[in-house]
Amino acid sequence: MPSRPSPSGGAPGVLTRPDQGEARPRRGRRAARGGGLLLGLALLAAVVLASLAIGTKQIPADQVWSALFHPSGTANDAIVQRLRLPRTLIGAAAGAALGLAGAVMQTLTRNPLADPGLLGVNAGASAAVVTAISVFGITSFTGYLWFALAGAAVAAALVNALGGSRSATPIRLALAGTAVNAALFGYINGLQLLDLGTLDSMRHWSIGTIAGRELDLLVTVLPLLAGGGLLALALARPLGALALGEEAARGLGASPGRTRALSIVAITLLCGAVTAVCGPIGFVGLLVPHAVRPFSGPDPRWLLPYCALYAPVLLLGCDVIGRVVIPPYEIEAGVVTAFLGGLIFINLVRQRRMARL
């Protein structure tokens, strides 16, 4: 008696589920994405070790380990514990925050080239710092930290209000952010020209750096970074629904207005805290989501963890490059990220042009 062909078109006499062929590629994609996360962890561990070991004075890995866990009071112990460990931890936290904020911003606006600064966070923080220095005479990091956070929050709230709050659309948010950024940077430049002392005090902060920051600053903003990061990760599913369009999001049970408002809160907490501690560091939140999306896919449930792992790799890697490119001098991390980011995007634009031709 001849055997019946299987419903899925497989070998005769073998009964298989119709969706079995689709489940295997799906499992393969999940395994590949999970492997990408493991690779990100390995790269992050490697760049953390490099950040602790590489600098004006090279320290072997075994001595770095001893300085961290078995200190004996040597000069290398002091370098690792007092200088490089705070710098590395701040860089890792700042990179993760900027990566998450960039992924949320790009998903929220449905624009893969959107930047967290589009909401006016960097401009608001910078304007508040300029005001603190020029008007109130505050020049210490701890002094203008809260000014920067408040300025970032006010600017983001203003952009959200001008964009229509709960009825805001990606285009209206982008236009409102552009207008607020232009007005705030005009205020910043005008105040700096009127007060040269403010210009000098702002010079090192505005370039964007993780060097010379005390670990106490990270401890101060850590609750804000943790809250913003957890909120961003919690918004992964509704952001994925919102990326399909507002009607589709409502059909899936998501509230577009609430998702948009909470996303702005997460971006403000993450970028505001980082900008207050490190100054405005560009291209990390813009570049990393764009770079990892071919591997993570557009789903925020995968995109956000990828960005949280690979953004610190980029920021710490740029900081290490800045230490060794022209020894014994250092180039600030914000300068290196801007330079590398510009080169990478020029290359991407050229590739797309060649593909169209």
Side-chain angles (χ1 to χ4, degrees), residues 4-287:
R4 292 185 302 169
S6 66
S8 60
V14 179
L15 295 179
T16 58
R17 293 177 55 185
D19 61 345
Q20 187 175 0
E22 298 177 1
R24 289 175 181 172
R26 190 179 297 117
R27 287 197 295 267
R29 287 194 297 270
R30 289 179 179 174
R33 289 170 175 172
L37 292 177
L38 292 177
L39 176 62
L41 283 172
L43 290 175
L44 181 58
V47 78
V48 165
L49 177 60
S51 179
L52 293 172
I54 297 175
T56 305
K57 182 178 182 181
Q58 310 295 329
I59 300 177
D62 60 332
Q63 294 185 25
V64 170
W65 180 268
S66 297
L68 292 175
F69 301 103
H70 306 287
S72 56
T74 64
N76 286 344
D77 291 350
I79 292 173
V80 171
Q81 292 182 350
R82 298 178 186 177
L83 299 178
R84 295 184 184 174
L85 182 60
R87 185 172 184 169
T88 301
L89 293 177
I90 290 174
L98 292 173
L100 284 172
V104 172
M105 184 67 195
Q106 292 179 15
T107 306
L108 177 68
T109 60
R110 299 195 290 274
N111 180 2
L113 299 181
D115 184 81
L118 189 65
L119 286 180
V121 174
N122 289 347
S126 299
V129 170
V130 166
T131 303
I133 294 173
S134 180
V135 178
F136 299 100
I138 299 173
T139 56
S140 65
F141 290 126
T142 53
Y144 58 64
L145 173 66
W146 298 108
F147 279 87
L149 290 172
V154 170
L158 180 60
V159 169
N160 187 42
L162 293 175
S165 191
R166 289 185 174 272
S167 61
T169 63
I171 294 178
R172 293 178 66 179
L173 280 175
L175 291 175
T178 301
V180 170
N181 274 326
L184 289 176
F185 278 120
Y187 166 78
I188 292 167
N189 292 331
L191 202 57
Q192 287 179 336
L193 289 175
L194 292 174
D195 187 350
L196 295 181
T198 300
L199 177 62
D200 186 63
S201 298
M202 279 285 295
R203 188 157 46 95
H204 294 290
W205 180 85
S206 62
I207 203 170
T209 180
I210 60 176
R213 304 300 194 253
E214 298 292 338
L215 200 56
D216 292 345
L217 290 176
L218 178 60
V219 174
T220 301
V221 300
L222 192 58
L224 302 176
L225 293 174
L230 291 175
L231 180 58
L233 293 173
L235 289 170
R237 188 178 294 274
L239 278 172
L242 187 61
L244 301 175
E246 294 198 6
E247 295 299 326
R250 291 190 182 95
L252 293 172
S255 171
R258 181 176 60 189
T259 301
R260 196 172 289 114
L262 291 176
S263 297
I264 292 174
V265 171
I267 294 169
T268 302
L269 290 174
L270 292 169
C271 289
V274 171
T275 305
V277 174
C278 307
I281 297 178
F283 271 102
V284 176
L286 174 63
L287 179 61

